[in-house]
Amino acid sequence: MIAGRGRQRIRPPRRSVAGDDVDFEQTWTKISAAFTEIHTKNASRLSYEELYRLAYRVVLKKKGDELYKRVRQFEHNWLSTEVRSAIQALFSPNLLANTQGLGGTTANERRVAGERFLKGLKQAWTDHQVCMSMLADVLMYMDRVYCQDVRRLSIYTTAMLLFRDDILNSNTSEIDSRVVLALLNTVILDQIQMERDGDVIDKHLIKSCVYMLESLYDDEMESEDQRLYNVSFEHEFLATSSEFYRHESEFLLRDSDAGAYCKHASRRIYEEDERCRSTLAESTMPKIRKVVEDELIKNRIHELVEMESGVRFMIDNDRLDELNLIYDLNARVDDRKTELTRAIQKRIVDMGTDINNAAIAASQATPAAPAPEAGDKAKGPNQEKSLNQQTVAAIKWVEDVLQLKDKFDHIWKDSFQSDHSLQTAVTRSFADFINSPTFPRSSEYISLFIDENMKKGIKGKTEMEVDAVLDKAIILLRYVQDKDLFERYYKKHLCRRLLMNKSVSNEVEKQMISKMKIELGNNFTLKLEAMFKDMTISEELTSGFKKHVEGLGDKDPKRIELGINVLTSMTWPLESMGSGDDDENKRPKCNFPMALDRIKRGFEKYYNEKHSGRQLTWLANMGSADIKAVFPKVAQKDGSFKERRHDLNVSTYGMIILLLFNELPADQYMTFEEIHAQTNIPRNDLMRNLQSLAVAPKTRILIKEPMTKDVKSTDKFYFNEGFNGKFVKIRVGVVSTGNKVESDRERRETEKKNDDSRGFCIEAAVVRIMKQRKELAHQQLVLETLNQLAAQFKPEVTMIKKRIESLIEREYLERIEGARVDSYRYLA
Amino acid sequence: MSDQKLTEYVTLVSSDGFEFKILRSAACIAGAIKKALDPTYGFREGEQNSVTFASINGVVLEKVCEYLYYNQKHAKSKEVPDMEIPPELCLELLIAADYLDV
């Protein structure tokens, strides 16, 4: 087509559009008239195209600048005359009055006036918006061509700014210098306050006003934080809210209890969130939340927790919901929940100390209490009784602690959402009071608790229950710092249980040990397991020996059956089984009667054949014997003349003593000294055995002269031919066979021994560390030693120092001369 | 403001009296037409569903309508065939385009 024409010809645009000279003033008159129509909502009479064309022409004629200014002026005039007066008409005198802080109007009047004002303002705003977008559309060509060319704000934005300047920032009236914007803020805040007080307000209305503030900017840059909303309203809103909640929290703390306070606080937080969503802007949410949290929680949490009805009260009364609330609140303002943690810890330690004190009191009060009625009783049983009492106290202590633990576990799970940091806090507090220096007996008590359960508690329980009990014990064990002390006690108690067959079930014992193994490691249970192994080996030895004896063909009807326990001296706490002060090596060997001696030698021979080079030490003080005793026909109180047979279960010493009387004619007696000389039983043990044989009413197999409670070295003993027991089997108890709380003297000893063994542990640890490091500064060495031993116990630093000194003396270590800090070198 | 339903077609009238009925959606591609027909403002054009252009003649307006359909048709496709524009109309079309904000 183009080629066909040969010559390109472009038709020039017709001049008629732009060619005619446009009379600007005339055009403007038309346009401004149209704008007035638009503002008065009569747009349907106007032709958009015509207006658009007019503006288009003006701009084409390079009169854009003039047009822009005129439009601006027009809008300014319109707003400051028509709209402003409309708005001012809304200010009822009482609206003005009460925003000045004068009372005297009811909330309802205030609300109505406020709503009227807001409504008017909102109406003006929406009208303005609609009109301006129409204007902007008409003037689109100007926006597109002129404004972009000279980088002016679009006419719409300019008009919005005009609204801000001419309406919001105008004075409320001639005499009042406050601007409308401030009034608006006050009114909105007033409305919000009403809602906080429980009134219903027009949320939607406020929301539209907030939208208005949000879409206006304080400066020309239109940055987010310069929105009028942020600059003027939000700021004031936060300030008033903060003020409000400060007062409220003061009031609430004074007038209600902690639980109600918590409920109220969390409701307030929820309300403010909700308000931001429905009434204000979402962007305010984090800010107002922070204000509320600060005022209601952060600044008050301390008082709240400490309140009479605070955390302590809640714990005591199992207010799980309220605790949960407090936890929630605290978690909001503080990740680590310091206050709550502190309160909980304090409470645990308090309650723990109470339990400790109760246990101490229980164990101390008893010796005093039975004293009057026990006036005629001997000192021995009395002390015995108090020990018993203490044992009960010990078990009660453990049970109390477990109960406390249960309680807090429960609270922790239900109220604290199983919060990790709180768990550590709880654990630490338990450890604190269990290990508190005023209460050194926890290890012993826990061991006693296990002992008690092993002996009786477990009987008749299902496996599950047994497991639960053991687990509980382990939990407590976890808290104990001085694990070595516990090990010592446990060994001692276990030893008694094993040797005296007190344990209900070996299975359970083993289970317990394997639990401890999991919890505390191999080292801890090594010796305990060895004890069990000894027991098994002993059983084998016993049956082996029995076969061996039968194999010899010795058909002695009077043969004595021997049950033997061979114990490795290193693993068994034998020293603690002895009567105390006499040393193992010095312990005099008691003389066994002939019959026994033979079988004893027989076993020694048998044992030596199996294991050469081992020495057997006989510990008669730990054994027991079953004797069949026949009491002759003697006239009884009830007149019968029967021969009576009894199976007597007595200690080995008791058996030896009784055997002496076997060889004695019926009416002969032996003095204490004679018995002692013949048997060579340590005086202490002898005295105790004689006491149980001759004094205790139910097992009075011997008769003592004179009949006093105490055994004296000059006392004479007869065989009680007239003995009559109710049962065929009679157990002659020897004083202090069960596991009881130690007396103070015993305890000091145990502690001393424990300290000694700790000394070795420390030395071993130090040497291990130094061997590896060769040279090390003092501080570091101490630190590493502490670390290594943490699983077993917490040594005192002075003790470590002493051990290091002694190692230097023995030339394991030497000080490094001239080092800047104290350092040691390992000497191989 | 105007309660009447939006019609599917609108009328564009040229300065010399030609009327073009075209799809509203196509017409609204042009910014000025869209604004003129916007029902929320209630200008006369919006109520009558027709726009009269005093500065555009029939020939040019026809080409404009052609372009509006052409634009709508190819709005989403990638390889768009060139639209045939007679050179003699170029300048007038440019002015119209500027005016209509196409």
Side-chain angles (χ1 to χ4, degrees):
Chain A
M1 185 163 66
I2 294 172
R5 292 276 175 92
R7 183 169 153 258
Q8 275 188 19
R9 200 171 63 87
I10 299 173
R11 261 165 54 183
R14 286 181 301 118
R15 296 269 89 192
S16 65
V17 180
D20 320 342
D21 243 359
V22 184
D23 182 356
F24 179 76
E25 288 306 326
Q26 205 183 337
T27 317
W28 172 245
T29 324
K30 277 189 195 164
I31 292 179
S32 62
F35 283 0
T36 318
E37 293 288 315
I38 289 175
H39 274 302
T40 46
K41 300 178 186 172
N42 285 324
S44 58
R45 276 197 264 144
L46 303 169
S47 158
Y48 173 80
E49 201 271 344
E50 190 185 340
L51 290 172
Y52 181 74
R53 192 151 32 86
L54 288 174
Y56 169 75
R57 272 203 205 140
V58 171
V59 176
L60 272 188
K61 286 284 144 197
K62 308 285 181 219
K63 294 264 174 59
D65 186 44
E66 185 69 20
L67 179 64
Y68 188 85
K69 279 182 191 146
R70 289 285 180 97
V71 174
R72 220 188 119 147
Q73 190 56 43
F74 175 84
E75 276 308 313
H76 176 66
N77 287 340
W78 178 265
L79 286 172
S80 40
T81 51
E82 303 285 325
V83 182
R84 191 188 298 172
S85 59
I87 296 283
Q88 275 171 356
L90 294 170
F91 304 149
S92 60
N94 91 36
L95 179 71
L96 288 174
N98 68 52
T99 50
Q100 269 169 335
L102 302 174
T105 48
T106 66
N108 200 34
E109 284 170 21
R110 234 166 54 224
R111 198 186 71 226
V112 172
E115 271 176 16
R116 211 159 67 81
F117 166 69
L118 291 177
K119 250 181 212 149
L121 196 59
K122 178 193 154 202
Q123 190 56 49
W125 169 247
T126 27
D127 286 354
H128 184 66
Q129 266 182 316
V130 170
C131 293
M132 285 329 289
S133 50
M134 288 168 80
L135 248 61
D137 283 352
V138 168
L139 300 172
M140 182 174 67
Y141 195 78
M142 182 184 79
D143 269 351
R144 212 151 47 90
V145 177
Y146 167 74
C147 291
Q148 270 179 13
D149 279 0
V150 296
R151 294 177 186 278
R152 285 273 182 102
L153 292 173
S154 74
I155 193 71
Y156 183 80
T157 321
T158 315
M160 292 301 122
L161 293 180
L162 281 173
F163 187 82
R164 178 194 77 201
D165 294 338
D166 289 335
I167 302 297
L168 295 184
N169 285 343
S170 67
N171 295 346
T172 43
S173 65
E174 283 74 21
I175 41 158
D176 200 334
S177 63
R178 284 172 310 146
V179 293
V180 176
L181 181 61
L183 187 70
L184 172 68
N185 286 342
T186 335
V187 170
I188 297 181
L189 290 176
D190 201 31
Q191 298 271 324
I192 288 173
Q193 190 53 49
M194 286 174 206
E195 194 189 26
R196 279 184 189 142
D197 291 342
D199 272 356
V200 178
I201 58 167
D202 189 346
K203 290 178 185 170
H204 194 69
L205 183 61
I206 296 176
K207 182 82 178 171
S208 356
C209 289
V210 167
Y211 274 142
M212 174 180 80
L213 292 176
E214 273 186 299
S215 47
L216 289 174
Y217 294 82
D218 196 39
D219 63 0
E220 318 284 301
M221 296 301 291
E222 310 216 333
S223 58
E224 185 77 352
D225 54 346
Q226 284 297 320
R227 297 188 306 190
L228 269 189
Y229 175 78
N230 297 53
V231 172
S232 103
F233 175 74
E234 189 174 76
H235 184 69
E236 254 184 78
F237 172 62
L238 294 180
T240 8
S241 304
S242 156
E243 180 74 9
F244 170 73
Y245 283 118
R246 183 159 41 244
H247 284 308
E248 187 173 70
S249 67
E250 250 166 46
F251 174 76
L252 277 174
L253 276 181
R254 205 172 45 236
D255 286 2
S256 64
D257 65 0
Y261 184 92
C262 290
K263 274 180 205 139
H264 190 81
S266 58
R267 204 187 70 226
R268 280 299 194 198
I269 290 171
Y270 172 76
E271 274 177 11
E272 289 300 336
D273 277 5
E274 201 45 39
R275 179 166 302 125
C276 283
R277 220 169 286 135
S278 68
T279 317
L280 304 175
E282 300 250 353
S283 62
T284 313
M285 207 181 314
K287 297 177 195 164
I288 183 67
R289 195 185 295 156
K290 184 163 181 329
V291 166
V292 181
E293 282 168 359
D294 277 0
E295 290 302 336
L296 282 186
I297 309 170
K298 206 172 187 173
N299 301 341
R300 302 288 172 188
I301 189 80
H302 183 75
E303 291 168 63
L304 182 62
V305 167
E306 294 294 312
M307 264 169 93
E308 206 173 309
S309 57
V311 170
R312 188 187 156 151
F313 174 82
M314 297 177 193
I315 293 172
D316 291 354
N317 292 296
D318 286 327
R319 297 284 179 87
L320 294 181
D321 292 346
E322 290 173 13
L323 280 170
N324 187 11
L325 277 173
I326 273 217
Y327 168 80
D328 245 18
L329 297 182
N330 205 344
R332 274 170 184 282
V333 294
D334 184 1
D335 266 349
R336 291 180 298 135
K337 295 150 285 260
T338 327
E339 280 297 330
L340 182 61
T341 312
R342 201 181 47 73
I344 295 281
Q345 281 186 316
K346 185 162 170 295
R347 193 64 201 131
I348 293 177
V349 172
D350 278 357
M351 289 170 95
T353 315
D354 280 353
I355 294 176
N356 284 353
N357 288 340
I360 291 172
S363 60
Q364 278 171 354
T366 40
E373 49 155 334
D376 57 341
K377 281 187 191 163
K379 204 176 109 207
N382 191 0
Q383 198 184 3
E384 190 71 3
K385 198 163 181 181
S386 92
L387 279 179
N388 262 330
Q389 210 74 26
Q390 285 192 23
T391 312
V392 173
I395 288 158
K396 186 167 177 327
W397 178 82
V398 174
E399 271 162 6
D400 284 351
V401 172
L402 281 176
Q403 218 174 359
L404 191 66
K405 168 80 181 151
D406 273 355
K407 183 183 170 91
F408 277 97
D409 273 353
H410 191 56
I411 292 177
W412 175 70
K413 217 179 328 169
D414 286 1
S415 301
F416 301 154
Q417 297 160 13
S418 302
D419 183 276
H420 189 71
S421 69
L422 273 173
Q423 188 188 27
T424 17
V426 168
T427 310
R428 205 166 46 237
S429 312
F430 269 96
D432 273 359
F433 85 77
I434 288 176
N435 294 315
S436 90
T438 53
F439 191 75
R441 291 190 165 193
S442 44
S443 317
E444 186 186 352
Y445 279 5
I446 294 170
S447 178
L448 264 175
F449 173 75
I450 300 172
D451 183 66
E452 185 69 18
N453 272 307
M454 288 294 182
K455 283 198 296 206
K456 349 187 160 121
I458 285 168
K459 216 179 272 175
K461 281 185 184 165
T462 64
E463 217 163 284
M464 294 281 283
E465 285 169 318
V466 171
D467 236 31
V469 170
L470 297 188
D471 279 341
K472 275 181 187 171
I474 291 286
I475 287 168
L476 285 188
L477 190 53
R478 210 173 292 157
Y479 294 133
V480 173
Q481 225 166 42
D482 300 333
K483 304 236 163 48
D484 59 336
L485 197 61
F486 173 79
E487 185 190 355
R488 188 169 292 275
Y489 281 114
Y490 192 77
K491 238 156 71 177
K492 184 176 147 194
H493 293 157
L494 176 65
C495 170
R496 288 239 170 96
R497 285 202 297 275
L498 290 178
L499 288 185
M500 296 177 183
N501 276 327
K502 288 267 185 64
S503 186
V504 174
S505 144
N506 267 347
E507 274 310 300
V508 180
E509 291 277 7
K510 279 178 187 153
Q511 222 177 318
M512 183 74 200
I513 284 176
S514 65
K515 274 184 202 295
M516 282 197 242
K517 197 168 174 176
I518 293 166
E519 194 63 35
L520 304 166
N522 248 336
N523 267 347
F524 186 82
T525 52
L526 210 60
K527 288 184 175 178
L528 301 179
E529 280 170 346
M531 285 166 79
F532 272 100
K533 217 157 92 196
D534 274 356
M535 289 307 285
T536 334
I537 292 172
S538 299
E539 254 168 53
E540 282 166 18
L541 271 174
T542 307
S543 58
F545 180 65
K546 207 162 140 192
K547 276 198 195 112
H548 170 76
V549 171
E550 276 166 5
L552 287 180
D554 190 357
K555 292 276 190 246
D556 186 359
K558 274 180 156 182
R559 201 188 69 231
I560 301 163
E561 275 189 26
L562 181 68
I564 208 102
N565 288 322
V566 181
L567 316 174
T568 318
S569 59
M570 278 306 288
T571 47
W572 292 70
L574 299 176
E575 64 275 22
S576 59
M577 300 298 293
S579 46
D581 39 7
D582 48 2
D583 201 38
E584 196 160 353
N585 293 335
K586 282 188 240 154
R587 176 174 293 154
K589 294 215 171 73
C590 74
N591 299 330
F592 289 96
M594 279 304 290
L596 282 177
D597 209 38
R598 209 174 61 234
I599 201 161
K600 178 186 143 198
R601 274 205 305 277
F603 181 76
E604 273 172 3
K605 198 164 147 242
Y606 171 77
Y607 189 75
N608 275 330
E609 274 169 17
K610 292 201 138 185
H611 315 270
S612 60
R614 294 196 189 174
Q615 201 197 340
L616 286 173
T617 311
W618 294 80
L619 299 168
N621 56 335
M622 277 185 277
S624 64
D626 292 319
I627 317 174
K628 286 195 168 74
V630 182
F631 296 88
K633 293 178 186 167
V634 174
Q636 296 290 302
K637 279 174 202 150
D638 57 6
S640 66
F641 273 91
K642 266 201 300 202
E643 201 176 61
R644 298 171 312 284
R645 289 169 185 278
H646 286 289
D647 288 348
L648 300 178
N649 181 292
V650 294
S651 70
T652 313
Y653 285 150
M655 170 187 70
I656 294 169
I657 297 166
L658 289 179
L659 284 177
L660 284 178
F661 286 91
N662 243 358
E663 288 146 22
L664 219 64
D667 48 353
Q668 293 277 322
Y669 64 86
M670 288 178 92
T671 64
F672 181 86
E673 288 299 341
E674 277 171 338
I675 297 174
H676 181 61
Q678 283 201 34
T679 58
N680 202 17
I681 296 172
R683 293 182 77 94
N684 258 337
D685 289 333
L686 180 59
M687 209 172 304
R688 264 193 291 173
N689 275 291
L690 283 174
Q691 218 164 37
S692 57
L693 285 172
V695 178
K698 280 185 185 160
T699 57
R700 198 171 294 163
I701 301 161
L702 299 180
I703 296 173
K704 191 166 73 81
E705 231 184 48
M707 285 285 278
T708 52
K709 292 281 176 191
D710 285 333
V711 175
K712 290 194 189 68
S713 50
T714 51
D715 286 349
K716 299 169 185 168
F717 294 93
Y718 299 90
F719 184 63
N720 182 8
E721 290 185 330
F723 176 79
N724 189 14
K726 280 180 191 145
F727 307 102
V728 177
K729 285 194 175 171
I730 293 171
R731 214 185 117 69
V732 181
V734 178
V735 176
S736 92
T737 48
N739 287 329
K740 298 206 173 75
V741 167
E742 295 179 313
S743 66
D744 283 344
R745 193 174 56 87
E746 283 173 314
R747 258 165 44 83
R748 269 198 298 281
E749 223 149 89
T750 315
E751 266 165 25
K752 195 173 146 284
K753 274 175 196 144
N754 206 34
D755 276 355
D756 286 349
S757 74
R758 277 182 185 191
F760 295 128
C761 281
I762 295 173
E763 279 185 9
V766 168
V767 169
R768 266 200 304 276
I769 293 165
M770 290 308 290
K771 208 167 184 171
Q772 200 185 1
R773 300 297 189 92
K774 302 301 177 208
E775 283 180 20
L776 204 61
H778 174 77
Q779 276 304 324
Q780 243 176 316
L781 178 58
V782 171
L783 216 69
E784 285 204 27
T785 312
L786 282 172
N787 273 346
Q788 261 201 13
L789 297 174
Q792 298 166 47
F793 58 95
K794 195 174 157 224
E796 283 169 38
V797 178
T798 49
M799 203 158 164
I800 300 178
K801 269 188 196 158
K802 257 189 215 154
R803 289 295 121 191
I804 294 175
E805 292 289 325
S806 117
L807 282 172
I808 290 172
E809 259 170 45
R810 283 178 284 158
E811 297 190 334
Y812 279 97
L813 305 177
E814 67 171 1
R815 281 182 213 279
I816 300 175
E817 299 292 334
R820 257 190 312 119
V821 283
D822 280 350
S823 306
Y824 308 102
R825 178 181 297 132
Y826 180 68
L827 297 176
Chain B
M1 288 186 197
S2 77
D3 292 331
Q4 66 192 105
K5 262 174 70 182
L6 293 180
T7 50
E8 199 182 352
Y9 287 89
V10 294
T11 316
L12 304 181
V13 186
S14 70
S15 55
D16 40 7
F18 290 100
E19 288 190 5
F20 299 90
K21 296 218 178 221
I22 75 168
L23 271 175
R24 179 184 288 270
S25 57
C28 283
I29 290 168
I33 303 176
K34 181 178 192 288
K35 300 256 163 87
L37 293 172
D38 195 324
T40 50
Y41 300 147
F43 283 113
R44 200 173 58 211
E45 283 89 343
E47 308 214 328
Q48 294 172 351
N49 287 321
S50 79
V51 189
T52 311
F53 298 98
S55 57
I56 304 176
N57 65 29
V59 183
V60 178
L61 193 56
E62 186 186 8
K63 213 60 189 162
V64 168
C65 291
E66 188 188 335
Y67 171 75
L68 290 175
Y69 274 122
Y70 167 83
N71 182 306
Q72 192 178 39
K73 186 179 162 195
H74 296 295
K76 280 169 193 160
S77 46
K78 277 181 183 164
E79 287 177 21
V80 183
D82 286 338
M83 194 176 121
E84 195 179 296
I85 292 172
E88 62 271 20
L89 283 180
C90 276
L91 213 48
E92 276 181 289
L93 272 176
L94 273 176
I95 290 168
D98 181 48
Y99 178 73
L100 293 175
D101 190 18
V102 179

